[in-house]
Amino acid sequence: MHAISKDTEACIDACLACHKICLATAMTHCLEMGGEHTTPQHFRLMVDCAALCATAADLMSHKSQFHKQMCGLCAEACETCAADCERIGDMEDCVKACRACAEHCRMMAG
């Protein structure tokens, strides 16, 4: 079995953490808060971010030839999501997870 590098492992962990936090925040906090938290643009962004994080983690886990491109897209989505969550406010955990994931994914994308 070929081991996954420590950098890849750290990126997978960051992606999975971001997926979990974005999805949970969207489905609980945002839906319960309403208002700007549930505008279609913001809500879709959070769901997209979670989906891209999960896909990036999957592609890295099985050493897909497409993982670098996916990590680049994931980093872009995470940065966008972090900025929007910060703008709306009261979602610090999501902002922090998205920024950490974006940093790891940018490194993976090369």
Side-chain angles (χ1 to χ4, degrees):
M1 179 174 155
H2 298 284
I4 291 176
S5 75
K6 288 191 186 301
D7 287 343
T8 303
E9 205 51 70
C11 190
I12 291 168
D13 290 346
C15 285
L16 293 175
C18 191
H19 168 263
K20 179 181 173 183
I21 290 170
C22 277
L23 195 57
T25 301
M27 296 300 169
T28 58
H29 178 75
C30 289
L31 286 177
E32 291 164 10
M33 293 294 292
E36 248 191 309
H37 287 84
T38 54
T39 60
Q41 176 79 17
H42 177 72
F43 201 79
R44 283 186 198 115
L45 175 58
M46 291 191 73
V47 172
D48 286 351
C49 185
L52 289 168
C53 288
T55 302
D58 287 349
L59 294 185
M60 285 182 283
S61 293
H62 67 256
K63 298 183 178 184
S64 169
Q65 63 184 336
F66 302 109
H67 84 271
K68 287 185 179 187
Q69 295 96 315
M70 181 54 68
C71 284
L73 180 58
C74 185
E76 186 178 340
C78 285
E79 284 294 347
T80 305
C81 190
D84 208 44
C85 287
E86 191 170 55
R87 178 187 64 79
I88 291 171
D90 198 29
M91 290 183 275
E92 294 81 14
D93 289 346
C94 193
V95 171
K96 184 178 175 185
C98 284
R99 291 214 168 113
C101 186
E103 185 177 331
H104 281 283
C105 279
R106 267 194 306 276
M107 288 192 311
M108 276 295 126

